[in-house]
Amino acid sequence: MTLMDVLMTCSELLSNNGKNIALDYELYVDNIPLNISDETLLQAVKAQEISTIDIYAYTPVVVGGGGRSAIIDIYFKEQDEGRTNGKLMLTGSTRGNGSAYADVVTRQGDVTVRGYAMTNLQYARGEAFDQQHYTARQGQENVHLNVDWNLGERDNLKIKLNQCFQDSKVRRQDAETLLTIPELSRYWSGVASYTHDFNDRGTSLTAEGGADWLKTTDENQKLQDCFAYCFTEFNVPCLNDDLNIYGGWEIDYYNTWNVGMDRQQMMFNDVYLQLDYTRGPWMLTVGDRLRFVNYWHRDYEAYSPLWNHARTENSFMAAIGYKAGHHFIQATLIGDYQVPTLDDIYAGYDHDYDRWMYRTELNTHKYWSLVARYAYQRPSLTVSTHVLHSWTRNSPSLDEQYTGAGAAVTWWKGAFRLTAGADYYHQYVSTLDDADNEHYNIFDLRLLPSVVLGGGLRLGAMLMYASRRSLTDPASPHLYASVKATKDLGRYVTLSLDCHDLAGTPRIMSYRVGESYDDRAVTLGLTWRF
């Protein structure tokens, strides 16, 4: 059983083709994001390698990911002393797609090292809203290294190093023209995280810093992006450990060079505090993050800014939960924002006066969400339901409202498992031009049966249906079906066969064409563990 098979027990975590996690979620390993294909990693990692999985559905305060960005954090089991093991996975598809993935983990004394490497080649084709036909090719290779070093009984240091290279090309064709759009990008990243535990109760101090560097070249321009950050966070248990207090200070710095044109810079200074209180069956969480934002816009080679701007933002969350026996209920209120970028603030270029123009009165994009959840769990049955209402305001282009409800159930009976889920949402989109306002009624259905047979054979299937996709997710298929078989050949080798098809594929945006599964395919996979 793979990590993806485990996540399938909670169907709302899945993407619309069932091969990846939903767009709202980011995948972390040991509290650090991985720049590795999520789909490849989820299929390569075996369930028995995992110690725990933490799912953060709302992260506006402590993590700072924003109320609409959730996290799935994977923690591996501790490696045995002096042991080295890993795996190699190869896949190939009738659509011409292929990938190679390898990972290795070793522990020597107090140091554990995990390495990941991947290369893949993906093809896609489709028809866009403007009636043009698209084909896309994307090649990518990644190398990722995590070092976990226990410096002492109460001190730990984690180091992450990563690099990625991507080579893509999109061909766009209509009745009269053929346009080829190439793009090359190189990405580097480094993070160091230090934690000191003051006692066995959980009082701790964490300091972390890192930087990302991205260099992109396309048909029109060259971009260089730098992101650097650091934060210090403390955790203090109080009141007989019923109350946990989290607090910290974080600095984020963004710097984008449009080579030969201009520089765009932003700096965030954040102060945050969160309280988690548990008393008997009751759980209460409240938190707030205050952000000070500074903008600078400069000529490419000039130091003095053409324009600068400062503003203050705030995000908060409050949640209350109650657990009794097999039942759990929770209500959550989120207030968050999306800070306007310099591209949002630009009002254009005045050629008569040879100067940029800015919309300094532009308001922050506000996001609000109210969610109620209920769950019931027994050893062979899990049921979860939710209702929500969310809305955005002051967006540079459009405002949205979501109102919906969903339910999911997972049932085990011996070697058989069945997961089913359904969601209904009403989306209202209001644009700057009221004549373009839209209403969407969306119904999703997910059905995922699986059975484990003798001799290391496992069969699974999935059916994903969407009545209509929203404006913000136009690349999803209407109907997706897949059948998959995996066979263990002894302890070290696993073969897999995946057949998928879809119907009713909508026309898609050109920038999403490389992400869509837009025809039937058969995929073969081989995994060797050592």
Side-chain angles (χ1 to χ4, degrees), residues 268-385:
F268 303 155
N269 274 275
D270 294 6
V271 180
Y272 58 91
L273 181 69
Q274 180 168 306
L275 309 179
D276 293 342
Y277 181 73
T278 303
R279 186 70 172 178
W282 291 95
M283 290 156 280
L284 176 66
T285 297
V286 292
D288 188 271
R289 175 178 283 250
L290 180 64
R291 168 166 288 181
F292 302 92
V293 186
N294 292 93
Y295 298 87
W296 298 275
H297 184 212
R298 310 176 191 271
D299 280 330
Y300 180 67
E301 297 181 349
Y303 177 78
S304 299
L306 300 169
W307 172 84
N308 59 77
H309 176 62
R311 61 172 65 200
T312 303
E313 308 297 351
N314 175 260
S315 63
F316 70 90
M317 73 168 296
I320 185 170
Y322 181 83
K323 185 176 182 180
H326 303 288
H327 305 270
F328 175 73
I329 188 170
Q330 182 189 56
T332 305
L333 174 65
I334 298 290
D336 203 9
Y337 57 87
Q338 179 179 332
V339 176
T341 66
L342 280 173
D343 288 335
D344 297 326
I345 295 175
Y346 289 154
Y349 191 82
D350 189 336
H351 293 278
D352 294 334
Y353 292 93
D354 192 25
R355 65 181 183 183
W356 292 93
M357 296 181 295
Y358 307 92
R359 291 192 294 265
T360 55
E361 77 285 354
L362 185 66
N363 294 323
T364 298
H365 185 175
K366 293 291 187 180
Y367 170 82
W368 304 84
S369 180
L370 182 61
V371 185
R373 294 181 177 272
Y374 167 78
Y376 174 82
Q377 186 172 20
R378 284 186 173 273
S380 61
L381 178 66
T382 299
V383 179
S384 62
T385 62

Side-chain angles (χ1 to χ4, degrees), residues 171-442:
R171 292 170 62 90
R172 184 175 63 192
Q173 184 175 11
D174 58 19
E176 299 179 354
T177 61
L178 173 63
L179 179 63
T180 300
I181 307 174
E183 181 176 289
L184 297 174
S185 64
R186 174 75 70 177
Y187 170 84
W188 299 270
S189 174
V191 173
S193 179
Y194 169 77
T195 300
H196 175 74
D197 295 324
F198 292 94
N199 52 45
D200 295 331
R201 295 176 54 199
T203 305
S204 63
L205 176 69
T206 299
E208 182 174 303
D212 300 345
W213 182 274
L214 175 64
K215 186 176 182 180
T216 304
T217 303
D218 60 23
E219 61 172 350
N220 296 318
Q221 61 182 337
K222 295 181 180 180
L223 293 177
Q224 298 179 23
D225 293 278
C226 177
F227 165 65
Y229 78 97
C230 63
F231 72 83
T232 300
E233 179 180 297
F234 66 87
N235 175 24
V236 180
C238 303
L239 303 179
N240 297 322
D241 297 341
D242 291 338
L243 175 66
N244 273 333
I245 302 175
Y246 300 88
W249 174 38
E250 180 175 349
I251 300 175
D252 300 334
Y253 172 72
Y254 299 83
N255 193 352
T256 298
W257 291 268
N258 293 293
V259 177
M261 296 175 59
D262 64 345
R263 292 174 61 192
Q264 304 174 13
Q265 297 169 292
M266 290 192 300
M267 178 175 285
F268 303 155
N269 274 275
D270 294 6
V271 180
Y272 58 91
L273 181 69
Q274 180 168 306
L275 309 179
D276 293 342
Y277 181 73
T278 303
R279 186 70 172 178
W282 291 95
M283 290 156 280
L284 176 66
T285 297
V286 292
D288 188 271
R289 175 178 283 250
L290 180 64
R291 168 166 288 181
F292 302 92
V293 186
N294 292 93
Y295 298 87
W296 298 275
H297 184 212
R298 310 176 191 271
D299 280 330
Y300 180 67
E301 297 181 349
Y303 177 78
S304 299
L306 300 169
W307 172 84
N308 59 77
H309 176 62
R311 61 172 65 200
T312 303
E313 308 297 351
N314 175 260
S315 63
F316 70 90
M317 73 168 296
I320 185 170
Y322 181 83
K323 185 176 182 180
H326 303 288
H327 305 270
F328 175 73
I329 188 170
Q330 182 189 56
T332 305
L333 174 65
I334 298 290
D336 203 9
Y337 57 87
Q338 179 179 332
V339 176
T341 66
L342 280 173
D343 288 335
D344 297 326
I345 295 175
Y346 289 154
Y349 191 82
D350 189 336
H351 293 278
D352 294 334
Y353 292 93
D354 192 25
R355 65 181 183 183
W356 292 93
M357 296 181 295
Y358 307 92
R359 291 192 294 265
T360 55
E361 77 285 354
L362 185 66
N363 294 323
T364 298
H365 185 175
K366 293 291 187 180
Y367 170 82
W368 304 84
S369 180
L370 182 61
V371 185
R373 294 181 177 272
Y374 167 78
Y376 174 82
Q377 186 172 20
R378 284 186 173 273
S380 61
L381 178 66
T382 299
V383 179
S384 62
T385 62
H386 70 273
V387 294
L388 68 87
H389 179 68
S390 65
W391 62 100
T392 60
R393 291 292 183 270
N394 301 324
S395 170
S397 57
L398 54 85
D399 291 335
E400 296 179 272
Q401 292 187 43
Y402 276 99
T403 302
V409 59
T410 298
W411 174 65
W412 292 268
K413 182 66 174 179
F416 179 76
R417 185 184 75 184
L418 177 64
T419 298
D423 299 285
Y424 170 79
Y425 295 100
H426 175 78
Q427 181 192 25
Y428 171 70
V429 180
S430 59
T431 63
L432 296 178
D433 184 357
D434 292 339
D436 296 329
N437 293 349
E438 295 284 351
H439 291 266
Y440 296 93
N441 291 301
I442 306 166

Side-chain angles (χ1 to χ4, degrees), residues 39-53:
E39 180 179 328
T40 303
L41 185 72
L42 293 171
Q43 296 295 343
V45 175
K46 301 290 283 185
Q48 56 264 34
E49 301 176 44
I50 303 301
S51 172
T52 58
I53 301 175

